[in-house]
Amino acid sequence: MDQLFNPTVIKRSTRLNETLKADVTLAIESLQPTGSFKIRAAANLVDKTPASQFIAASSGNFGQALALACKHYGRQCTIVMPDDSAMVKIEGVEHYGAKTILIDTKVESRAERLKTLAQEFPNACITNAYDHELIIEGNASLGKELAKLSPRPDLIIAPVGGGGLVSGIITGLQSENAKISVWGAEPTLANDAARSLALDQLVQNRGEPKTIADGARTISLGLLNWEIFRQHIAGIVTVTEDEIKRGVKLLFTLANVKAEPTAALPIGALLSASPKLLEGKRVCCVISGGNVDIQVYRSLLSE
Amino acid sequence: MDQLFNPTVIKRSTRLNETLKADVTLAIESLQPTGSFKIRAAANLVDKTPASQFIAASSGNFGQALALACKHYGRQCTIVMPDDSAMVKIEGVEHYGAKTILIDTKVESRAERLKTLAQEFPNACITNAYDHELIIEGNASLGKELAKLSPRPDLIIAPVGGGGLVSGIITGLQSENAKISVWGAEPTLANDAARSLALDQLVQNRGEPKTIADGARTISLGLLNWEIFRQHIAGIVTVTEDEIKRGVKLLFTLANVKAEPTAALPIGALLSASPKLLEGKRVCCVISGGNVDIQVYRSLLSE
């Protein structure tokens, strides 16, 4: 394998568009190696960082992506995960050859354990999943691809958690001189980015938000991400839990796409957004990943 | 939209390969317009047939594909369907602008109604979904794509119903001078192709087989398809209902692919096949479509 990720998969569904009353192109990242866009960031980070070991705390998609990138480039990888993480996620990280450290988060926070590990392995690269220049640069590869879409979209909507994906897309579009508005889609239950933009200062959620969109359960945007958001984002659409669920089901039924709840945020945003935002516009929705527990997904389909 | 279908989506999943103990590349057709490979055939048929009207009996993927192709090329389309077809399938055909005729198959067979329609519309093109040169030629576009895969697979496995997909792939590979073995995957409950090859004569199933793989509920191979099978197919692997169900679930869990039961036949074949068939071989599995009723799919995920 020479290349660690593939071009995004572009799909249009006239049936989905009829239901959404919008002209939508999907950019599907759920079929990437490790099942999400995160491999773009992890591959760039590991490729360009001369460390023999990488350490991150992740119970989600970044852990698997970093594990695969480290395997690919011959580095060691350690992922700190809560000991109640879904078995399928732990297995995923271990499949790609990383070491997992399972901690009881009632006794010790992930941040504390990372601090201990940093002392133990002073030469390791300790990273988070979004607030890092090489992470944003890695995700910019998607923005560059979307800049080349023909016909060119008028606006792009992508999920917002820590802000790594949206800031990467903005950066990538800029490097191609593509003037396309970028919107974020954020759960109403985790609306720190929307509030930050309204107040023009970075605010945090109180504790981890209890949204079904587990990729958006972040306390706040990263600092680097926030700087890009405040300068360049067109806006944030907040999305209710019900709209997220409807988004997952619409993608399944009308587009044959298996999306994880976080990845359905842009579709939820279209259900939520004012028709004026969309009228006569070509919209690209980024479907960021497909890793969802089988029982969660079954229950989403039943509702 | 200039082009009616897209290149197949290629995906490799190391987790799927670990489970299957095989080196597998997926060629995913479920993201095509209308959700299956059938649009390749329908587009070619309509493009090259100078009829103003097309009529077919189909309760499945071919009906939607023919409807879209007719819409694209400005022709009329009528699809005869059993009146107990899933609502989602009737809506699908009508979404693409075709007229549906719903018949009570206890009173009148689809073949009888097609005969009546042929008398009523003598200039219409009345077609089935597989036994037609232009259908095979349309599906050959997939064979041509697979011939260009790098690294080249040693064998390709695709689902068998009427034989249109496999005969198309064989024809397409031949036109590119690509010497790749092509295997069919057929439900054990609908094993007419396997029996036909064993007896070296075309045999039929007794009535419509009750397999969950609804795309393989055909009475027999088409005549044109059978001629290609008897001369060129490497063999047929028969797949139990349980293996089909496991295939659907593995594609969901380890590859983020929503496959309909028929499309999981090649994965079921790998679960069923002798390890010797696969040892050291690069295998390409064609995932033929993704149109499956939501309740059927939920129950497949629960097993």
Side-chain angles (χ1 to χ4, degrees), chain A residues 111-125:
Chain A
E112 284 162 359
R113 177 58 74 100
L114 284 183
K115 208 174 278 179
T116 312
L117 287 165
Q119 289 163 351
E120 193 177 343
F121 302 104
N123 296 320
C125 170

Side-chain angles (χ1 to χ4, degrees), chain A residues 151-166:
Chain A
R152 182 175 274 193
D154 300 300
L155 55 101
I156 295 171
I157 310 181
V160 172
L165 177 58
V166 163

Side-chain angles (χ1 to χ4, degrees), chain B residues 264-298:
Chain B
L265 277 164
I267 304 298
L270 296 187
L271 295 169
S272 159
S274 141
K276 273 207 179 150
L277 173 68
L278 305 174
E279 202 173 20
K281 299 271 174 54
R282 278 192 290 265
V283 183
C284 173
C285 287
V286 177
I287 309 303
S288 53
N291 297 332
V292 50
D293 185 80
I294 201 165
Q295 295 314 328
V296 172
Y297 199 76
R298 280 192 71 232

Side-chain angles (χ1 to χ4, degrees), chain B residues 19-91:
Chain B
T19 300
L20 294 171
K21 298 180 180 60
D23 178 357
V24 179
T25 297
L26 304 177
I28 302 170
E29 289 283 286
S30 54
L31 298 170
Q32 293 288 4
T34 74
S36 83
F37 75 96
K38 297 273 187 184
I39 189 63
R40 295 175 181 271
N44 194 58
L45 174 72
V46 176
D47 185 27
K48 295 187 179 163
T49 304
S52 59
Q53 187 179 11
F54 290 77
I55 301 174
S58 168
S59 52
N61 289 329
F62 185 65
Q64 290 190 50
L66 187 62
L68 174 58
C70 285
K71 183 179 185 179
H72 183 82
Y73 289 106
R75 319 292 177 85
Q76 289 189 294
C77 183
T78 301
I79 305 294
V80 178
M81 305 177 82
D83 61 5
D84 58 355
S85 299
M87 203 57 213
V88 61
K89 293 188 174 172
I90 298 171
E91 286 169 359

Side-chain angles (χ1 to χ4, degrees), chain A residues 14 31 95 252 256 258 290, chain B residues 11 14 95 252 256 258 290:
Chain A
T14 56
L31 298 171
H95 167 80
F252 174 89
N256 283 345
K258 176 197 172 195
Chain B
K11 174 168 173 72
T14 56
H95 167 81
F252 174 90
N256 283 346
K258 176 197 171 195

